[in-house]
C-alpha cells in the first residue's frame, strides 16, 4: 500500500503518560500515539505493557500500518525509555516483555532519564562531534531530571554510562516534587502545633485548598477528602513562599538545588568529564518551571564544581530522545538525526 516500513518504534513512558512514535530510516516521523502512564510496580508488568501497547497501536494506525502479526514487526528497532526501569536487570526484563510483543526485530530498553539526556544532547551533537579530539561520534553529557522524583544519568560516545538507582530513600535520593511536597507539609505541620519554628508554609499550604489550618489539611488528606495525589499542587506553593523570603521554604529550595548539583557533579566525575566543556541538561517539571532561586543556586554550584559545564533546560519532548537512541542503535546517518530533530523542534 506504499507505506514505508519504519526503522524505529520509539516509546517514552513516564508515570503519567506514554508517547510512541514510528520513525523512518531517513528520520521522518510516520505516526505518533499516546496512552496512560507506565507503572509496572503497581499494576504488574503485563498490564503495564498493555498500556504501552495502546500508544504503539495508535502510532501504527496513524502511520497506516496493519496490526502487528507474528513475523511482521512494526519496525526494525524498538527503543523504549521507561519509568521505573531503575536497574539494568529491570531494563533486561522489560526488554524481554516488550520483545515478546513482536513490535520490532530488536528491542532496547533504558530508564526514561536517558530520553531526556539524548533529546537534550541532540541540539549540540554536531558541535560536540566537531570538537571531539578523539574523533568519537555520539552523545556526550549528563542529564538531571527532577519531576515527581529525581534521577541523573550520563553518557559517552563509547557507550559508557553513569547512573544512580534512584528508588527513593534507600538509594540516598532527596527531592523531586513528591518529596518536596512531603517536606513542606512536615515543616508546616510542626510550625502550627509548636514542635517547629514559624514558616509561611503553615498558612499557604492549607490556603491552597481553601482551608484555614494545617490541622484541617492533615485531616482532609488522612480521610481522603483531598486525594493524596493532589499534594503535587503544593510544590509551586513552596517555591512561591520561598521567593517571598521564608527561611524554611528557602532552605528546602536550596537543598533541592544542591542535590541537583551533587548528582550532576558525581556523574561528570565518573565519566571523567569534570574538566571538559560538556552539556549538563535539566529536565522534569521542577527544573523546567523557571524558579529563579533554584536555577541560580544550581548555576552557582555547577560553576564551582564543574566550571566548564554548559547548563541548559531541555524543552524537546522525551520521545525524541528515545527515537534518537533507536537511530543510534541502527547506525543511522547524521542526516536522519537532523531530520528527526527538525520534526520535533
Amino acid at each position: 500500500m506504499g507505506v514505508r516500513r519504519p526503522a524505529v518504534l520509539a516509546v517514552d513512558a513516564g508515570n503519567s503518560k506514554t508517547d510512541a512514535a514510528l520513525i523512518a530510516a531517513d528520520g521522518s516521523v510516520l505516526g505518533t500515539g499516546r496512552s496512560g502512564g507506565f507503572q509496572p510496580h503497581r499494576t504488574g508488568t503485563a498490564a503495564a505493557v498493555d498500556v504501552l501497547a495502546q500508544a504503539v497501536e495508535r502510532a501504527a494506525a496513524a502511520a497506516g500500518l496493519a496490526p502487528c502479526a507474528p513475523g511482521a514487526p512494526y519496525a526494525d528497532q524498538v527503543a523504549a525509555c521507561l519509568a521505573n526501569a531503575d536497574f539494568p536487570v529491570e531494563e533486561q526484563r522489560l526488554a524481554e516483555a516488550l520483545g515478546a510483543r513482536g513490535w520490532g526485530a530488536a528491542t532496547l530498553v533504558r530508564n526514561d532519564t536517558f530520553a531526556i539526556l539524548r533529546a537534550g544532547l541532540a541540539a549540540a551533537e554536531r558541535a560536540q562531534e566537531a570538537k571531539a579530539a578523539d574523533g568519537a561520534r555520539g552523545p556526550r553529557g549528563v542529564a538531571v531530571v527532577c519531576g515527581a522524583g529525581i534521577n541523573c544519568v550520563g553518557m559517552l560516545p563509547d557507550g559508557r554510562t553513569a547512573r544512580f538507582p534512584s528508588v527513593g530513600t534507600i538509594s540516598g535520593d532527596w527531592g523531586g516534587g513528591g518529596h518536596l511536597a512531603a517536606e513542606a507539609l512536615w515543616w508546616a505541620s510542626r510550625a502550627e502545633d509548636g514542635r517547629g519554628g514559624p514558616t509561611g508554609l503553615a498558612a499557604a499550604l492549607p490556603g491552597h485548598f481553601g482551608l484555614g489550618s494545617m490541622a484541617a489539611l492533615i485531616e482532609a488528606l488522612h480521610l481522603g477528602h483531598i486525594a493524596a495525589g493532589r499534594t503535587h499542587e503544593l510544590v509551586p506553593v513552596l517555591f512561591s513562599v520561598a521567593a517571598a523570603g521564608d527561611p524554611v521554604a528557602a532552605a528546602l529550595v536550596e537543598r533541592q538545588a544542591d542535590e541537583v548539583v551533587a548528582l550532576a557533579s558525581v556523574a561528570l566525575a565518573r565519566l571523567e568529564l569534570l574538566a571538559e566543556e560538556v552539556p549538563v541538561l535539566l529536565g522534569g517539571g521542577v527544573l523546567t518551571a523557571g524558579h529563579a532561586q533554584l536555577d541560580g543556586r544550581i548555576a552557582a554550584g555547577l560553576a564551582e564544581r564543574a566550571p566548564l559545564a554548559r547548563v541548559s533546560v531541555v524543552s524537546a519532548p522525551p520521545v525524541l530522545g528515545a527515537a534518537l537512541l533507536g537511530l543510534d542503535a541502527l547506525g543511522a546517518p547524521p542526516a536522519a538525526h537532523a531530520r528527526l530533530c527538525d520534526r520535533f523542534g
Side-chain angles (χ1 to χ4, degrees), residues 90 133 287 339:
E90 291 176 317
L287 297 181
R339 183 189 295 269

Side-chain angles (χ1 to χ4, degrees), residues 75 80 118 131 135 151 230 239-240 256 267-268 273 297 311:
R118 190 64 185 89
K131 292 180 179 181
N151 203 349
R230 292 191 64 192
F239 279 96
S240 178
Q256 180 65 92
L268 288 168
L273 293 175
R297 190 171 178 97
V311 183

